[in-house]
Amino acid sequence: MPAPPTDPPTDPPTDPPTDQLAALTARLRAAGSVFAEDEAALLLEAASPDRAGTLETLVVRRLAGEPLEQVLGWVDFAGVRVRLSPGVFVPRQRTALLVELAAAALAPTDVVVDLCCGSGALLAAVLRRHPDATGHAADLDPAAVACARLNLSPDTVHQGDLYDALPPHLRGRIDVLMVNAPYVPTAAIAQLPPEARDHEPHLALDGGADGLDLHRRVARRACEWLARDGTLLIEVSADQLSAAMALMTRAGLAPEAVEDEERGALVVRATRSPTTR
């Protein structure tokens, strides 16, 4: 059973000098930062105690367009501070809906799996809520796997292609399967903000021609890996919902849509249909 995730140790924040904060805020704002003052304060805190050398390095990375979370080395997600490495997908705040749905579906000692786990943020947040659950995570990207092992028990993070990465004993025993698979259509990658397009792996973004290549593959084998009353949770965009629901049905699943309009989040929640139980 994996140990509950822990937050990385942090020193108590100290207030940066007002003139230093103002100067850095102005520099970031001139570069187009919408939340320049907030970013400046976080960068100053991250650079402590060696502000003279480290700060400029961090600022240059941020001005070059690297996501703030990668520069800081962490992201606050669904109540957990998650370590984040350069080149690893930054979990979106809307994806907290997946965490909430997973936590609501889990009994205390159930098995929960995070496929396409990236940094392991989803599983870390779920295990914070259900520390007695058995959690496993998997990703194809070696950099993501290495990062996830910083946030989770290392022996529960597996590298490989979807289900092939998982320990065989989980087959037919997964109570909740969370999947934040890439779902950006290939042709739309070029229109993404530079932070994502240039600094996050396309492997974590590109979902194929219609954005649903991974969703089809996940659905195709879901009944093989889910427990009898298990639940699959997978994020989609609004214009993909109809196609996603249809492919789940074809795979022997009974899908429904769960939307959080405030966060702009949309999840397909699917269980094994009565004929496949």
PDB file of all heavy atoms in Angstrom, residues 3-5 7 76-82 93 95-109 112 120-134 178 263:
ATOM      1  N   ALA A   3       2.407   4.930   0.565  1.00  0.00           N
ATOM      2  CA  ALA A   3       2.313   5.909   1.643  1.00  0.00           C
ATOM      3  C   ALA A   3       1.593   7.145   1.141  1.00  0.00           C
ATOM      4  O   ALA A   3       1.652   7.483  -0.030  1.00  0.00           O
ATOM      5  CB  ALA A   3       3.712   6.278   2.119  1.00  0.00           C
ATOM      6  N   PRO A   4       0.848   7.828   2.020  1.00  0.00           N
ATOM      7  CA  PRO A   4       0.179   9.059   1.602  1.00  0.00           C
ATOM      8  C   PRO A   4       1.200  10.068   1.113  1.00  0.00           C
ATOM      9  O   PRO A   4       2.320  10.138   1.625  1.00  0.00           O
ATOM     10  CB  PRO A   4      -0.502   9.547   2.893  1.00  0.00           C
ATOM     11  CG  PRO A   4      -0.571   8.353   3.774  1.00  0.00           C
ATOM     12  CD  PRO A   4       0.619   7.504   3.414  1.00  0.00           C
ATOM     13  N   PRO A   5       0.849  10.843   0.069  1.00  0.00           N
ATOM     14  CA  PRO A   5       1.786  11.839  -0.442  1.00  0.00           C
ATOM     15  C   PRO A   5       2.039  12.925   0.583  1.00  0.00           C
ATOM     16  O   PRO A   5       1.181  13.239   1.403  1.00  0.00           O
ATOM     17  CB  PRO A   5       1.063  12.404  -1.673  1.00  0.00           C
ATOM     18  CG  PRO A   5      -0.381  12.172  -1.381  1.00  0.00           C
ATOM     19  CD  PRO A   5      -0.449  10.889  -0.590  1.00  0.00           C
ATOM     20  N   ASP A   7       3.719  16.927   1.209  1.00  0.00           N
ATOM     21  CA  ASP A   7       4.158  18.148   0.545  1.00  0.00           C
ATOM     22  C   ASP A   7       5.659  18.303   0.704  1.00  0.00           C
ATOM     23  O   ASP A   7       6.228  17.890   1.714  1.00  0.00           O
ATOM     24  CB  ASP A   7       3.482  19.366   1.182  1.00  0.00           C
ATOM     25  CG  ASP A   7       1.994  19.387   0.883  1.00  0.00           C
ATOM     26  OD1 ASP A   7       1.586  18.675  -0.037  1.00  0.00           O
ATOM     27  OD2 ASP A   7       1.254  20.109   1.581  1.00  0.00           O
ATOM     28  N   ASP A  76       0.365  24.177  -6.824  1.00  0.00           N
ATOM     29  CA  ASP A  76      -0.702  23.854  -5.880  1.00  0.00           C
ATOM     30  C   ASP A  76      -1.891  23.339  -6.682  1.00  0.00           C
ATOM     31  O   ASP A  76      -2.443  24.059  -7.522  1.00  0.00           O
ATOM     32  CB  ASP A  76      -1.112  25.088  -5.070  1.00  0.00           C
ATOM     33  CG  ASP A  76      -0.112  25.404  -3.974  1.00  0.00           C
ATOM     34  OD1 ASP A  76       0.562  24.470  -3.488  1.00  0.00           O
ATOM     35  OD2 ASP A  76       0.014  26.579  -3.596  1.00  0.00           O
ATOM     36  N   PHE A  77      -2.269  22.081  -6.417  1.00  0.00           N
ATOM     37  CA  PHE A  77      -3.329  21.452  -7.206  1.00  0.00           C
ATOM     38  C   PHE A  77      -4.239  20.655  -6.285  1.00  0.00           C
ATOM     39  O   PHE A  77      -3.785  19.739  -5.596  1.00  0.00           O
ATOM     40  CB  PHE A  77      -2.728  20.528  -8.272  1.00  0.00           C
ATOM     41  CG  PHE A  77      -3.763  19.726  -9.024  1.00  0.00           C
ATOM     42  CD1 PHE A  77      -4.518  20.317 -10.022  1.00  0.00           C
ATOM     43  CD2 PHE A  77      -4.000  18.395  -8.708  1.00  0.00           C
ATOM     44  CE1 PHE A  77      -5.485  19.595 -10.706  1.00  0.00           C
ATOM     45  CE2 PHE A  77      -4.965  17.663  -9.383  1.00  0.00           C
ATOM     46  CZ  PHE A  77      -5.713  18.268 -10.386  1.00  0.00           C
ATOM     47  N   ALA A  78      -5.505  21.024  -6.257  1.00  0.00           N
ATOM     48  CA  ALA A  78      -6.524  20.269  -5.523  1.00  0.00           C
ATOM     49  C   ALA A  78      -6.126  19.999  -4.082  1.00  0.00           C
ATOM     50  O   ALA A  78      -6.338  18.909  -3.556  1.00  0.00           O
ATOM     51  CB  ALA A  78      -6.843  18.963  -6.247  1.00  0.00           C
ATOM     52  N   GLY A  79      -5.499  20.987  -3.453  1.00  0.00           N
ATOM     53  CA  GLY A  79      -5.159  20.865  -2.046  1.00  0.00           C
ATOM     54  C   GLY A  79      -3.817  20.246  -1.747  1.00  0.00           C
ATOM     55  O   GLY A  79      -3.476  20.039  -0.582  1.00  0.00           O
ATOM     56  N   VAL A  80      -3.027  19.963  -2.768  1.00  0.00           N
ATOM     57  CA  VAL A  80      -1.712  19.353  -2.579  1.00  0.00           C
ATOM     58  C   VAL A  80      -0.665  20.179  -3.324  1.00  0.00           C
ATOM     59  O   VAL A  80      -0.897  20.601  -4.466  1.00  0.00           O
ATOM     60  CB  VAL A  80      -1.682  17.897  -3.101  1.00  0.00           C
ATOM     61  CG1 VAL A  80      -0.293  17.297  -2.978  1.00  0.00           C
ATOM     62  CG2 VAL A  80      -2.691  17.036  -2.338  1.00  0.00           C
ATOM     63  N   ARG A  81       0.478  20.419  -2.703  1.00  0.00           N
ATOM     64  CA  ARG A  81       1.596  21.043  -3.417  1.00  0.00           C
ATOM     65  C   ARG A  81       2.376  19.926  -4.102  1.00  0.00           C
ATOM     66  O   ARG A  81       2.963  19.060  -3.446  1.00  0.00           O
ATOM     67  CB  ARG A  81       2.487  21.843  -2.480  1.00  0.00           C
ATOM     68  CG  ARG A  81       3.687  22.454  -3.193  1.00  0.00           C
ATOM     69  CD  ARG A  81       4.362  23.549  -2.403  1.00  0.00           C
ATOM     70  NE  ARG A  81       3.552  24.760  -2.377  1.00  0.00           N
ATOM     71  CZ  ARG A  81       4.014  25.944  -1.993  1.00  0.00           C
ATOM     72  NH1 ARG A  81       5.264  26.078  -1.584  1.00  0.00           N
ATOM     73  NH2 ARG A  81       3.221  27.003  -1.993  1.00  0.00           N
ATOM     74  N   VAL A  82       2.376  19.957  -5.420  1.00  0.00           N
ATOM     75  CA  VAL A  82       2.948  18.892  -6.238  1.00  0.00           C
ATOM     76  C   VAL A  82       4.276  19.356  -6.822  1.00  0.00           C
ATOM     77  O   VAL A  82       4.360  20.452  -7.395  1.00  0.00           O
ATOM     78  CB  VAL A  82       1.977  18.522  -7.383  1.00  0.00           C
ATOM     79  CG1 VAL A  82       2.576  17.438  -8.272  1.00  0.00           C
ATOM     80  CG2 VAL A  82       0.633  18.078  -6.812  1.00  0.00           C
ATOM     81  N   GLN A  93      -6.041  23.502 -13.386  1.00  0.00           N
ATOM     82  CA  GLN A  93      -6.909  23.564 -12.216  1.00  0.00           C
ATOM     83  C   GLN A  93      -8.290  22.971 -12.495  1.00  0.00           C
ATOM     84  O   GLN A  93      -8.938  22.445 -11.581  1.00  0.00           O
ATOM     85  CB  GLN A  93      -7.029  25.002 -11.726  1.00  0.00           C
ATOM     86  CG  GLN A  93      -5.712  25.595 -11.218  1.00  0.00           C
ATOM     87  CD  GLN A  93      -5.092  24.779 -10.093  1.00  0.00           C
ATOM     88  OE1 GLN A  93      -5.782  24.262  -9.218  1.00  0.00           O
ATOM     89  NE2 GLN A  93      -3.757  24.646 -10.115  1.00  0.00           N
ATOM     90  N   THR A  95      -8.909  20.306 -13.871  1.00  0.00           N
ATOM     91  CA  THR A  95      -8.842  18.858 -13.718  1.00  0.00           C
ATOM     92  C   THR A  95      -9.082  18.420 -12.280  1.00  0.00           C
ATOM     93  O   THR A  95      -9.218  17.232 -11.993  1.00  0.00           O
ATOM     94  CB  THR A  95      -7.485  18.342 -14.253  1.00  0.00           C
ATOM     95  OG1 THR A  95      -7.306  18.835 -15.595  1.00  0.00           O
ATOM     96  CG2 THR A  95      -7.432  16.834 -14.312  1.00  0.00           C
ATOM     97  N   ALA A  96      -9.182  19.376 -11.360  1.00  0.00           N
ATOM     98  CA  ALA A  96      -9.571  19.038  -9.991  1.00  0.00           C
ATOM     99  C   ALA A  96     -10.939  18.369  -9.952  1.00  0.00           C
ATOM    100  O   ALA A  96     -11.256  17.639  -9.005  1.00  0.00           O
ATOM    101  CB  ALA A  96      -9.566  20.289  -9.118  1.00  0.00           C
ATOM    102  N   LEU A  97     -11.766  18.587 -10.983  1.00  0.00           N
ATOM    103  CA  LEU A  97     -13.056  17.896 -11.041  1.00  0.00           C
ATOM    104  C   LEU A  97     -12.852  16.382 -11.081  1.00  0.00           C
ATOM    105  O   LEU A  97     -13.608  15.637 -10.444  1.00  0.00           O
ATOM    106  CB  LEU A  97     -13.848  18.364 -12.270  1.00  0.00           C
ATOM    107  CG  LEU A  97     -15.189  17.660 -12.499  1.00  0.00           C
ATOM    108  CD1 LEU A  97     -16.132  17.860 -11.312  1.00  0.00           C
ATOM    109  CD2 LEU A  97     -15.842  18.155 -13.792  1.00  0.00           C
ATOM    110  N   LEU A  98     -11.843  15.925 -11.803  1.00  0.00           N
ATOM    111  CA  LEU A  98     -11.540  14.488 -11.828  1.00  0.00           C
ATOM    112  C   LEU A  98     -11.226  13.983 -10.423  1.00  0.00           C
ATOM    113  O   LEU A  98     -11.669  12.898 -10.017  1.00  0.00           O
ATOM    114  CB  LEU A  98     -10.343  14.218 -12.750  1.00  0.00           C
ATOM    115  CG  LEU A  98     -10.593  13.860 -14.210  1.00  0.00           C
ATOM    116  CD1 LEU A  98      -9.257  13.717 -14.935  1.00  0.00           C
ATOM    117  CD2 LEU A  98     -11.384  12.579 -14.339  1.00  0.00           C
ATOM    118  N   VAL A  99     -10.443  14.751  -9.689  1.00  0.00           N
ATOM    119  CA  VAL A  99     -10.074  14.371  -8.324  1.00  0.00           C
ATOM    120  C   VAL A  99     -11.315  14.271  -7.451  1.00  0.00           C
ATOM    121  O   VAL A  99     -11.494  13.298  -6.698  1.00  0.00           O
ATOM    122  CB  VAL A  99      -9.078  15.390  -7.740  1.00  0.00           C
ATOM    123  CG1 VAL A  99      -8.860  15.143  -6.244  1.00  0.00           C
ATOM    124  CG2 VAL A  99      -7.757  15.325  -8.484  1.00  0.00           C
ATOM    125  N   GLU A 100     -12.182  15.259  -7.531  1.00  0.00           N
ATOM    126  CA  GLU A 100     -13.380  15.271  -6.690  1.00  0.00           C
ATOM    127  C   GLU A 100     -14.301  14.107  -7.009  1.00  0.00           C
ATOM    128  O   GLU A 100     -14.860  13.472  -6.101  1.00  0.00           O
ATOM    129  CB  GLU A 100     -14.102  16.607  -6.868  1.00  0.00           C
ATOM    130  CG  GLU A 100     -13.312  17.786  -6.310  1.00  0.00           C
ATOM    131  CD  GLU A 100     -13.797  19.131  -6.817  1.00  0.00           C
ATOM    132  OE1 GLU A 100     -14.845  19.159  -7.513  1.00  0.00           O
ATOM    133  OE2 GLU A 100     -13.137  20.142  -6.523  1.00  0.00           O
ATOM    134  N   LEU A 101     -14.460  13.791  -8.286  1.00  0.00           N
ATOM    135  CA  LEU A 101     -15.317  12.670  -8.675  1.00  0.00           C
ATOM    136  C   LEU A 101     -14.704  11.341  -8.238  1.00  0.00           C
ATOM    137  O   LEU A 101     -15.417  10.435  -7.789  1.00  0.00           O
ATOM    138  CB  LEU A 101     -15.545  12.678 -10.182  1.00  0.00           C
ATOM    139  CG  LEU A 101     -16.349  13.858 -10.730  1.00  0.00           C
ATOM    140  CD1 LEU A 101     -16.376  13.824 -12.251  1.00  0.00           C
ATOM    141  CD2 LEU A 101     -17.772  13.858 -10.170  1.00  0.00           C
ATOM    142  N   ALA A 102     -13.388  11.233  -8.371  1.00  0.00           N
ATOM    143  CA  ALA A 102     -12.717  10.005  -7.944  1.00  0.00           C
ATOM    144  C   ALA A 102     -12.840   9.813  -6.439  1.00  0.00           C
ATOM    145  O   ALA A 102     -13.147   8.716  -5.957  1.00  0.00           O
ATOM    146  CB  ALA A 102     -11.248  10.038  -8.360  1.00  0.00           C
ATOM    147  N   ALA A 103     -12.612  10.873  -5.689  1.00  0.00           N
ATOM    148  CA  ALA A 103     -12.689  10.785  -4.234  1.00  0.00           C
ATOM    149  C   ALA A 103     -14.094  10.409  -3.779  1.00  0.00           C
ATOM    150  O   ALA A 103     -14.264   9.635  -2.825  1.00  0.00           O
ATOM    151  CB  ALA A 103     -12.262  12.112  -3.611  1.00  0.00           C
ATOM    152  N   ALA A 104     -15.100  10.929  -4.464  1.00  0.00           N
ATOM    153  CA  ALA A 104     -16.484  10.622  -4.103  1.00  0.00           C
ATOM    154  C   ALA A 104     -16.849   9.178  -4.405  1.00  0.00           C
ATOM    155  O   ALA A 104     -17.696   8.579  -3.727  1.00  0.00           O
ATOM    156  CB  ALA A 104     -17.433  11.563  -4.841  1.00  0.00           C
ATOM    157  N   ALA A 105     -16.196   8.590  -5.417  1.00  0.00           N
ATOM    158  CA  ALA A 105     -16.522   7.223  -5.823  1.00  0.00           C
ATOM    159  C   ALA A 105     -15.763   6.165  -5.031  1.00  0.00           C
ATOM    160  O   ALA A 105     -16.132   4.996  -5.052  1.00  0.00           O
ATOM    161  CB  ALA A 105     -16.223   7.054  -7.314  1.00  0.00           C
ATOM    162  N   LEU A 106     -14.702   6.563  -4.324  1.00  0.00           N
ATOM    163  CA  LEU A 106     -13.837   5.598  -3.648  1.00  0.00           C
ATOM    164  C   LEU A 106     -14.341   5.239  -2.262  1.00  0.00           C
ATOM    165  O   LEU A 106     -14.762   6.108  -1.500  1.00  0.00           O
ATOM    166  CB  LEU A 106     -12.418   6.164  -3.507  1.00  0.00           C
ATOM    167  CG  LEU A 106     -11.468   6.048  -4.691  1.00  0.00           C
ATOM    168  CD1 LEU A 106     -10.188   6.805  -4.387  1.00  0.00           C
ATOM    169  CD2 LEU A 106     -11.150   4.587  -4.998  1.00  0.00           C
ATOM    170  N   ALA A 107     -14.274   3.949  -1.940  1.00  0.00           N
ATOM    171  CA  ALA A 107     -14.387   3.492  -0.559  1.00  0.00           C
ATOM    172  C   ALA A 107     -12.986   3.537   0.042  1.00  0.00           C
ATOM    173  O   ALA A 107     -11.984   3.601  -0.694  1.00  0.00           O
ATOM    174  CB  ALA A 107     -14.961   2.087  -0.511  1.00  0.00           C
ATOM    175  N   PRO A 108     -12.860   3.496   1.363  1.00  0.00           N
ATOM    176  CA  PRO A 108     -11.552   3.731   2.005  1.00  0.00           C
ATOM    177  C   PRO A 108     -10.401   2.873   1.505  1.00  0.00           C
ATOM    178  O   PRO A 108      -9.280   3.361   1.383  1.00  0.00           O
ATOM    179  CB  PRO A 108     -11.846   3.464   3.482  1.00  0.00           C
ATOM    180  CG  PRO A 108     -13.284   3.827   3.636  1.00  0.00           C
ATOM    181  CD  PRO A 108     -13.943   3.400   2.354  1.00  0.00           C
ATOM    182  N   THR A 109     -10.623   1.592   1.217  1.00  0.00           N
ATOM    183  CA  THR A 109      -9.507   0.716   0.838  1.00  0.00           C
ATOM    184  C   THR A 109      -9.572   0.288  -0.624  1.00  0.00           C
ATOM    185  O   THR A 109      -8.995  -0.728  -1.002  1.00  0.00           O
ATOM    186  CB  THR A 109      -9.468  -0.528   1.744  1.00  0.00           C
ATOM    187  OG1 THR A 109     -10.716  -1.237   1.623  1.00  0.00           O
ATOM    188  CG2 THR A 109      -9.250  -0.131   3.195  1.00  0.00           C
ATOM    189  N   VAL A 112      -7.298   2.712  -6.818  1.00  0.00           N
ATOM    190  CA  VAL A 112      -7.440   3.831  -7.742  1.00  0.00           C
ATOM    191  C   VAL A 112      -6.191   3.911  -8.604  1.00  0.00           C
ATOM    192  O   VAL A 112      -5.073   3.766  -8.118  1.00  0.00           O
ATOM    193  CB  VAL A 112      -7.691   5.163  -6.973  1.00  0.00           C
ATOM    194  CG1 VAL A 112      -6.591   5.447  -5.960  1.00  0.00           C
ATOM    195  CG2 VAL A 112      -7.818   6.325  -7.955  1.00  0.00           C
ATOM    196  N   GLY A 120       1.795  13.032 -11.509  1.00  0.00           N
ATOM    197  CA  GLY A 120       1.149  12.278 -10.437  1.00  0.00           C
ATOM    198  C   GLY A 120       0.229  13.123  -9.591  1.00  0.00           C
ATOM    199  O   GLY A 120      -0.215  12.692  -8.521  1.00  0.00           O
ATOM    200  N   ALA A 121      -0.103  14.317 -10.062  1.00  0.00           N
ATOM    201  CA  ALA A 121      -0.887  15.264  -9.258  1.00  0.00           C
ATOM    202  C   ALA A 121      -2.257  14.716  -8.892  1.00  0.00           C
ATOM    203  O   ALA A 121      -2.715  14.873  -7.752  1.00  0.00           O
ATOM    204  CB  ALA A 121      -1.030  16.583 -10.011  1.00  0.00           C
ATOM    205  N   LEU A 122      -2.941  14.081  -9.839  1.00  0.00           N
ATOM    206  CA  LEU A 122      -4.290  13.591  -9.561  1.00  0.00           C
ATOM    207  C   LEU A 122      -4.270  12.536  -8.458  1.00  0.00           C
ATOM    208  O   LEU A 122      -5.050  12.608  -7.499  1.00  0.00           O
ATOM    209  CB  LEU A 122      -4.927  13.008 -10.828  1.00  0.00           C
ATOM    210  CG  LEU A 122      -5.640  13.984 -11.761  1.00  0.00           C
ATOM    211  CD1 LEU A 122      -4.646  14.908 -12.440  1.00  0.00           C
ATOM    212  CD2 LEU A 122      -6.457  13.231 -12.793  1.00  0.00           C
ATOM    213  N   LEU A 123      -3.373  11.577  -8.591  1.00  0.00           N
ATOM    214  CA  LEU A 123      -3.323  10.508  -7.596  1.00  0.00           C
ATOM    215  C   LEU A 123      -2.888  11.044  -6.234  1.00  0.00           C
ATOM    216  O   LEU A 123      -3.419  10.633  -5.195  1.00  0.00           O
ATOM    217  CB  LEU A 123      -2.394   9.393  -8.057  1.00  0.00           C
ATOM    218  CG  LEU A 123      -2.349   8.165  -7.142  1.00  0.00           C
ATOM    219  CD1 LEU A 123      -3.731   7.569  -6.932  1.00  0.00           C
ATOM    220  CD2 LEU A 123      -1.400   7.113  -7.703  1.00  0.00           C
ATOM    221  N   ALA A 124      -1.928  11.961  -6.225  1.00  0.00           N
ATOM    222  CA  ALA A 124      -1.496  12.554  -4.958  1.00  0.00           C
ATOM    223  C   ALA A 124      -2.662  13.232  -4.252  1.00  0.00           C
ATOM    224  O   ALA A 124      -2.828  13.112  -3.031  1.00  0.00           O
ATOM    225  CB  ALA A 124      -0.363  13.550  -5.200  1.00  0.00           C
ATOM    226  N   ALA A 125      -3.498  13.947  -5.005  1.00  0.00           N
ATOM    227  CA  ALA A 125      -4.635  14.640  -4.415  1.00  0.00           C
ATOM    228  C   ALA A 125      -5.700  13.661  -3.921  1.00  0.00           C
ATOM    229  O   ALA A 125      -6.322  13.885  -2.877  1.00  0.00           O
ATOM    230  CB  ALA A 125      -5.235  15.616  -5.425  1.00  0.00           C
ATOM    231  N   VAL A 126      -5.912  12.587  -4.662  1.00  0.00           N
ATOM    232  CA  VAL A 126      -6.899  11.593  -4.235  1.00  0.00           C
ATOM    233  C   VAL A 126      -6.420  10.865  -2.983  1.00  0.00           C
ATOM    234  O   VAL A 126      -7.187  10.634  -2.037  1.00  0.00           O
ATOM    235  CB  VAL A 126      -7.191  10.591  -5.375  1.00  0.00           C
ATOM    236  CG1 VAL A 126      -7.988   9.396  -4.850  1.00  0.00           C
ATOM    237  CG2 VAL A 126      -7.961  11.282  -6.487  1.00  0.00           C
ATOM    238  N   LEU A 127      -5.141  10.508  -2.942  1.00  0.00           N
ATOM    239  CA  LEU A 127      -4.611   9.802  -1.769  1.00  0.00           C
ATOM    240  C   LEU A 127      -4.576  10.701  -0.540  1.00  0.00           C
ATOM    241  O   LEU A 127      -4.608  10.212   0.592  1.00  0.00           O
ATOM    242  CB  LEU A 127      -3.220   9.243  -2.070  1.00  0.00           C
ATOM    243  CG  LEU A 127      -3.170   8.097  -3.085  1.00  0.00           C
ATOM    244  CD1 LEU A 127      -1.740   7.646  -3.309  1.00  0.00           C
ATOM    245  CD2 LEU A 127      -4.038   6.924  -2.646  1.00  0.00           C
ATOM    246  N   ARG A 128      -4.497  12.014  -0.739  1.00  0.00           N
ATOM    247  CA  ARG A 128      -4.608  12.918   0.398  1.00  0.00           C
ATOM    248  C   ARG A 128      -5.989  12.776   1.039  1.00  0.00           C
ATOM    249  O   ARG A 128      -6.141  12.849   2.268  1.00  0.00           O
ATOM    250  CB  ARG A 128      -4.363  14.361  -0.053  1.00  0.00           C
ATOM    251  CG  ARG A 128      -4.638  15.425   0.991  1.00  0.00           C
ATOM    252  CD  ARG A 128      -3.762  15.275   2.242  1.00  0.00           C
ATOM    253  NE  ARG A 128      -2.361  15.394   1.928  1.00  0.00           N
ATOM    254  CZ  ARG A 128      -1.695  16.541   1.839  1.00  0.00           C
ATOM    255  NH1 ARG A 128      -2.323  17.681   2.043  1.00  0.00           N
ATOM    256  NH2 ARG A 128      -0.415  16.554   1.555  1.00  0.00           N
ATOM    257  N   ARG A 129      -7.004  12.559   0.212  1.00  0.00           N
ATOM    258  CA  ARG A 129      -8.367  12.410   0.703  1.00  0.00           C
ATOM    259  C   ARG A 129      -8.663  10.989   1.179  1.00  0.00           C
ATOM    260  O   ARG A 129      -9.511  10.801   2.052  1.00  0.00           O
ATOM    261  CB  ARG A 129      -9.345  12.805  -0.408  1.00  0.00           C
ATOM    262  CG  ARG A 129      -9.314  14.303  -0.754  1.00  0.00           C
ATOM    263  CD  ARG A 129      -9.857  14.560  -2.157  1.00  0.00           C
ATOM    264  NE  ARG A 129     -10.001  15.969  -2.454  1.00  0.00           N
ATOM    265  CZ  ARG A 129      -9.007  16.790  -2.799  1.00  0.00           C
ATOM    266  NH1 ARG A 129      -7.767  16.319  -2.860  1.00  0.00           N
ATOM    267  NH2 ARG A 129      -9.235  18.056  -3.065  1.00  0.00           N
ATOM    268  N   HIS A 130      -7.993  10.003   0.577  1.00  0.00           N
ATOM    269  CA  HIS A 130      -8.206   8.591   0.918  1.00  0.00           C
ATOM    270  C   HIS A 130      -6.849   7.921   1.173  1.00  0.00           C
ATOM    271  O   HIS A 130      -6.366   7.134   0.355  1.00  0.00           O
ATOM    272  CB  HIS A 130      -8.930   7.865  -0.219  1.00  0.00           C
ATOM    273  CG  HIS A 130     -10.380   8.216  -0.351  1.00  0.00           C
ATOM    274  ND1 HIS A 130     -11.370   7.652   0.428  1.00  0.00           N
ATOM    275  CD2 HIS A 130     -11.004   9.089  -1.175  1.00  0.00           C
ATOM    276  CE1 HIS A 130     -12.539   8.151   0.088  1.00  0.00           C
ATOM    277  NE2 HIS A 130     -12.346   9.025  -0.884  1.00  0.00           N
ATOM    278  N   PRO A 131      -6.216   8.197   2.292  1.00  0.00           N
ATOM    279  CA  PRO A 131      -4.868   7.667   2.531  1.00  0.00           C
ATOM    280  C   PRO A 131      -4.794   6.151   2.629  1.00  0.00           C
ATOM    281  O   PRO A 131      -3.715   5.579   2.487  1.00  0.00           O
ATOM    282  CB  PRO A 131      -4.466   8.331   3.855  1.00  0.00           C
ATOM    283  CG  PRO A 131      -5.742   8.757   4.491  1.00  0.00           C
ATOM    284  CD  PRO A 131      -6.668   9.082   3.375  1.00  0.00           C
ATOM    285  N   ASP A 132      -5.925   5.473   2.862  1.00  0.00           N
ATOM    286  CA  ASP A 132      -5.903   4.016   2.953  1.00  0.00           C
ATOM    287  C   ASP A 132      -6.179   3.327   1.616  1.00  0.00           C
ATOM    288  O   ASP A 132      -6.163   2.096   1.531  1.00  0.00           O
ATOM    289  CB  ASP A 132      -6.928   3.530   3.989  1.00  0.00           C
ATOM    290  CG  ASP A 132      -6.544   3.935   5.405  1.00  0.00           C
ATOM    291  OD1 ASP A 132      -5.324   3.996   5.685  1.00  0.00           O
ATOM    292  OD2 ASP A 132      -7.441   4.197   6.217  1.00  0.00           O
ATOM    293  N   ALA A 133      -6.461   4.106   0.585  1.00  0.00           N
ATOM    294  CA  ALA A 133      -6.672   3.520  -0.731  1.00  0.00           C
ATOM    295  C   ALA A 133      -5.347   3.015  -1.295  1.00  0.00           C
ATOM    296  O   ALA A 133      -4.268   3.471  -0.913  1.00  0.00           O
ATOM    297  CB  ALA A 133      -7.287   4.554  -1.674  1.00  0.00           C
ATOM    298  N   THR A 134      -5.440   2.067  -2.207  1.00  0.00           N
ATOM    299  CA  THR A 134      -4.269   1.572  -2.928  1.00  0.00           C
ATOM    300  C   THR A 134      -4.178   2.308  -4.261  1.00  0.00           C
ATOM    301  O   THR A 134      -5.100   2.236  -5.076  1.00  0.00           O
ATOM    302  CB  THR A 134      -4.377   0.058  -3.179  1.00  0.00           C
ATOM    303  OG1 THR A 134      -4.382  -0.622  -1.922  1.00  0.00           O
ATOM    304  CG2 THR A 134      -3.192  -0.436  -4.006  1.00  0.00           C
ATOM    305  N   MET A 178      -8.755   6.946 -13.208  1.00  0.00           N
ATOM    306  CA  MET A 178      -8.698   8.354 -13.617  1.00  0.00           C
ATOM    307  C   MET A 178      -7.779   8.480 -14.829  1.00  0.00           C
ATOM    308  O   MET A 178      -6.669   7.940 -14.824  1.00  0.00           O
ATOM    309  CB  MET A 178      -8.124   9.235 -12.506  1.00  0.00           C
ATOM    310  CG  MET A 178      -8.850   9.206 -11.202  1.00  0.00           C
ATOM    311  SD  MET A 178      -8.070  10.357 -10.018  1.00  0.00           S
ATOM    312  CE  MET A 178      -6.484   9.548  -9.752  1.00  0.00           C
ATOM    313  N   ARG A 263     -15.434  26.081 -13.595  1.00  0.00           N
ATOM    314  CA  ARG A 263     -14.035  25.779 -13.901  1.00  0.00           C
ATOM    315  C   ARG A 263     -13.817  25.458 -15.371  1.00  0.00           C
ATOM    316  O   ARG A 263     -12.681  25.264 -15.802  1.00  0.00           O
ATOM    317  CB  ARG A 263     -13.543  24.623 -13.040  1.00  0.00           C
ATOM    318  CG  ARG A 263     -13.226  25.012 -11.623  1.00  0.00           C
ATOM    319  CD  ARG A 263     -12.649  23.878 -10.820  1.00  0.00           C
ATOM    320  NE  ARG A 263     -13.642  22.865 -10.508  1.00  0.00           N
ATOM    321  CZ  ARG A 263     -13.575  22.044  -9.457  1.00  0.00           C
ATOM    322  NH1 ARG A 263     -12.548  22.097  -8.634  1.00  0.00           N
ATOM    323  NH2 ARG A 263     -14.515  21.157  -9.225  1.00  0.00           N
TER     324      ARG A 263
END
